[in-house]
Amino acid sequence: MKRLLTALALFALPILASAQIENPVKWSFTAKKVNATTYEVHATATIDKGWHLYAQEAGEGPVPTSFKFTKNPLVVTQGKVEEVGKLHKNFDKNFNSELKYYESTVDFVQKVTVKGKAATKVKGSVEFMVCDDHQCLPPKEVEFAVSVGGK
């Protein structure tokens, strides 16, 4: 029985280790009230050490970070999604291009206006790609929903 458990543990370790590597970005989504009808929707990415997340205007090659907002008759987006964080620019020989990316953390901010006084949600998704010095993970999409409006 001990041998069986030892064998199972040895087989499980590589699986558990690779599971951690497959998700080096943690997302949090919040809304901050600016005034009676305006909110900032924050999509904050916390990036594991050694990995980087590409900017919305990343350069030639990798999949840039992009946002899609679900249509909502009670919500109007204002302008483009802004990036708040330390932007890095480096030439990447793998993509043969100068690339823009973030390490550690970045906050993507979209201003929205809420029509009327009813509570509603800003819904959408973010598509992103991360790389480290040795590999890139396939692009991933994460859905979000943030409450805005109301009292």
Side-chain angles (χ1 to χ4, degrees):
M1 188 66 171
K2 285 183 181 178
R3 286 183 183 167
L4 178 62
L5 288 174
T6 304
L8 285 173
L10 290 175
F11 283 114
L13 284 175
I15 293 168
L16 293 172
S18 69
Q20 291 176 343
I21 292 172
E22 290 178 8
N23 194 17
V25 179
K26 309 292 182 281
W27 289 93
S28 65
F29 302 95
T30 58
K32 180 181 174 188
K33 190 173 187 174
V34 175
N35 61 41
T37 59
T38 305
Y39 288 80
E40 290 178 347
V41 175
H42 292 258
T44 305
T46 303
I47 307 150
D48 288 352
K49 187 174 178 79
W51 292 89
H52 52 268
L53 172 75
Y54 290 101
Q56 294 175 96
E57 302 287 330
E60 293 294 320
V63 174
T65 300
S66 63
F67 290 85
K68 293 179 200 161
F69 292 92
T70 306
K71 289 190 189 279
N72 180 336
L74 297 176
V75 178
V76 177
T77 58
Q78 299 177 359
K80 295 181 178 181
V81 177
E82 294 180 28
E83 299 173 356
V84 180
K86 185 176 180 191
L87 183 66
H88 296 268
K89 295 179 191 176
N90 280 320
F91 184 81
D92 187 315
K93 63 181 186 272
N94 296 317
F95 290 108
N96 197 29
S97 176
E98 182 173 271
L99 300 179
K100 298 175 187 173
Y101 58 89
Y102 294 93
E103 295 175 338
S104 182
T105 187
V106 59
D107 192 20
F108 295 93
V109 183
Q110 174 66 61
K111 282 192 177 178
V112 299
T113 301
V114 179
K115 298 178 182 177
K117 297 186 189 255
T120 188
K121 289 189 182 283
V122 175
K123 295 180 181 180
S125 63
V126 56
E127 182 181 26
F128 63 97
M129 182 173 161
V130 291
C131 297
D132 66 9
D133 291 339
H134 308 291
Q135 66 178 331
C136 292
L137 298 181
K140 202 169 193 178
E141 192 169 357
V142 173
E143 293 184 356
F144 63 86
V146 178
S147 296
V148 294
K151 293 184 180 181

